[in-house]
Amino acid sequence: FCWVTPAFATTYYVRTGGGTSTQCTGTTDAVYTSGTNQPCAFSHPAWALGSMAGNGTYTTTQLMQSGDTLIIHNTSDSGGQAKYVIGYGMPNASAACTSGSGSDCNLRPPPATSHIYGSNYASCTGLTGSSVAQLWGTKGVEWIFNLSSGATTDIECLEITDHSSCALQYASTGICTSSDLHGKTGIYAIGGSNFTMKNLDIHGLSNLG
């Protein structure tokens, strides 16, 4: 006899009122109240994707697997646009992540055939104000998303930016320093293939969109 165990994809949720991977399972779209392993959302994408240093070491656990979906709330649980910092200051950062080493505070690349959506992706139009979740880089983080080792990744309905007007290079004034709230690159995808990037507002950033 041959027994076949089917593989089921998982949908994870992120919202500002969520919790850590110890407090919440991440698989229910609800705020965290108390306890551990509760049916509630994560507070940040790093709890699902994990993080890594710039040289690929000092990684934290990535819960998402191939075929999984991550849905990020576009509105904060306290009102207004939901904004999630990527880089120094985000939760579940690598052991190498410090205020002086922002390039070691990166999200891990999403697994192949995964989906990362803003919560209103099914009707995403306009891309203005609070209509999409904002992922913003800080202190020289290398990227918001790194797709260089993946394939068939689908990213939709997000604002990808930073909170500084400094430039990494090619500027006579306003050169970025380690204290600036800048992300270097929005989506780094050299070496990857077969991506869907839809309804994304990519702007700012100190090097490349």
Side-chain angles (χ1 to χ4, degrees):
F1 293 92
C2 178
W3 296 93
V4 177
T5 302
F8 297 99
T10 301
T11 297
Y12 293 99
Y13 296 91
V14 169
R15 58 190 305 157
T16 57
T20 69
S21 59
T22 299
Q23 296 167 333
C24 298
T25 62
T27 56
T28 300
D29 187 13
V31 300
Y32 171 70
T33 53
S34 62
T36 59
N37 200 36
Q38 296 298 301
C40 48
F42 294 139
S43 62
H44 192 279
W47 292 116
L49 288 170
S51 61
M52 62 185 290
N55 61 5
T57 62
Y58 301 105
T59 59
T60 63
T61 301
Q62 183 173 82
L63 296 179
M64 285 186 69
Q65 303 295 316
S66 179
D68 287 352
T69 299
L70 179 65
I71 296 180
I72 304 172
H73 259 264
N74 63 308
T75 54
S76 168
D77 285 291
S78 60
Q81 183 184 25
K83 299 179 180 182
Y84 306 88
V85 61
I86 307 299
Y88 179 71
M90 74 178 180
N92 199 30
S94 79
C97 177
T98 66
S99 61
S101 184
S103 60
D104 289 323
C105 308
N106 305 289
L107 290 175
R108 288 181 63 175
T113 66
S114 58
H115 311 275
I116 300 175
Y117 299 145
S119 57
N120 58 333
Y121 71 97
S123 58
C124 191
T125 58
L127 301 179
T128 58
S130 61
S131 65
V132 290
Q134 181 188 98
L135 276 62
W136 65 280
T138 189
K139 292 188 179 292
V141 65
E142 293 290 343
W143 56 72
I144 306 301
F145 290 116
N146 182 345
L147 309 183
S148 61
S149 61
T152 325
T153 304
D154 182 10
I155 300 178
E156 299 186 26
C157 199
L158 295 169
E159 179 185 10
I160 297 174
T161 188
D162 61 7
H163 290 179
S164 175
S165 60
C166 72
L168 189 63
Q169 54 190 353
Y170 309 127
S172 57
T173 59
I175 298 295
C176 295
T177 68
S178 61
S179 63
D180 283 311
L181 306 181
H182 74 105
K184 293 179 181 177
T185 298
I187 298 178
Y188 181 81
I190 295 175
S193 60
N194 298 325
F195 306 123
T196 297
M197 302 180 191
K198 183 179 178 181
N199 292 324
L200 299 177
D201 181 8
I202 305 174
H203 63 97
L205 303 161
S206 59
N207 188 25
L208 300 170

